[in-house]
Amino acid sequence: MDAVVPVPSVPVLPIEGATQVFPVRRIYCIGRNYADHAREMGMDPEREPPFFFGKPHDTVVPGGGSIAYPPLTSNLHYEVELVVALSTGGRDIPASEAPGHIYGYAVGIDLTRRDLQAKAKDKGQPWDTAKGFDQSAPVSRILPVSAGGHFGRGAIWLSVNGVEKQRGDLSQMIWSVPEIIAHVSRFVALAPGDLIFTGTPAGVGPIVPGDKVRCGIEGLGELEIEVI
Ligand code: MN
């Protein structure tokens, strides 16, 4: 290929027990998928259809590590989430067939500039500046379904400087992983390499430079970041 600017590289995630990597195509994120978090954001957690937004794929921070505190915010929030990694895609995937499209699962943090999100909500503007900034998607290594099976229940938690801030259970998700895949695939064609963040339980809050964040999902793994 004779390109006029350097061809962007594809971000990749490590895989548990493998030397191969998982290339990231797109990142979809589901909002308000745990009732207690919907309530803390001032919303009524009815089973309204799930909504989703995107993050650019190069916002991924593979395996966590150091995160530079982003500009233009004074309220950077953590949101621990189960992340689904797709091996195959398609349109209009029935929920009953969705598990067959999943390569594996990971632990992710949907970093959010909460002050910019609040402004966007007020003005009816998009969430890109609140959600899609550099390094806004730390993701752990992927545990393949072939090694760990599927995740529909189990503890999900996050701590800041050793103090627990979030704790829930995957079984509290309003929309299950298969239902989420079915829903998103009605709007867009899903494809190999896609990641889906599936929402966060209650307890979101701010982090500042110097903070060490640890989070994990029972039976899946852990992820650590440090804000610098
Ligand atoms: Mn989120």
Side-chain angles (χ1 to χ4, degrees):
M1 178 169 21
D2 193 15
V4 297
V5 297
V7 178
S9 59
V10 175
V12 298
L13 291 170
I15 297 168
E16 175 71 22
T19 54
Q20 296 160 298
V21 294
F22 184 90
V24 179
R25 176 183 175 261
R26 290 184 185 170
I27 304 174
Y28 299 102
C29 303
I30 304 296
R32 288 181 219 129
N33 200 29
Y34 290 75
D36 52 359
H37 173 62
R39 281 189 208 100
E40 76 178 348
M41 298 304 289
M43 308 301 290
D44 184 11
E46 286 181 23
R47 196 177 148 91
E48 59 180 18
F51 74 91
F52 63 91
F53 55 88
K55 289 181 190 255
H57 70 170
D58 65 351
T59 60
V60 161
V61 183
S66 295
I67 305 286
Y69 194 88
L72 299 174
T73 185
S74 53
N75 200 16
L76 177 67
H77 274 210
Y78 52 79
E79 297 185 354
V80 62
E81 311 202 1
L82 173 71
V83 177
V84 181
L86 298 187
S87 55
T88 54
R91 297 177 193 275
D92 298 321
I93 298 170
S96 59
E97 294 175 14
H101 293 274
I102 299 172
Y103 174 78
Y105 296 84
V107 182
I109 305 175
D110 170 15
L111 289 171
T112 302
R113 291 192 279 210
R114 193 71 74 200
D115 40 4
L116 298 191
Q117 186 191 33
K119 260 183 222 165
K121 284 180 179 174
D122 275 355
K123 297 185 173 179
Q125 292 175 345
W127 287 10
D128 298 54
T129 60
K131 292 289 197 177
F133 54 91
D134 299 336
Q135 295 190 295
S136 59
V139 179
S140 73
R141 60 100 178 91
I142 293 174
L143 183 61
V145 170
S146 58
H150 289 281
F151 286 83
R153 54 180 301 165
I156 177 170
W157 57 272
L158 179 144
S159 67
V160 179
N161 303 325
V163 179
E164 188 168 286
K165 300 289 188 180
Q166 291 188 278
R167 178 167 289 274
D169 194 282
L170 298 178
S171 62
Q172 296 167 333
M173 287 197 285
I174 296 171
W175 293 90
S176 69
V177 168
E179 289 171 332
I180 288 168
I181 290 171
H183 181 78
V184 176
S185 74
R186 292 174 58 214
F187 287 86
V188 291
L190 292 170
D194 286 348
L195 299 179
I196 305 175
F197 281 60
T198 58
T200 196
V204 300
I207 41 178
V208 297
D211 282 347
K212 290 186 170 70
V213 179
R214 272 186 69 203
C215 56
I217 292 172
E218 185 182 354
L220 173 49
E222 295 189 4
L223 173 67
E224 288 186 41
I225 61 170
E226 180 173 4
V227 186
I228 59 173

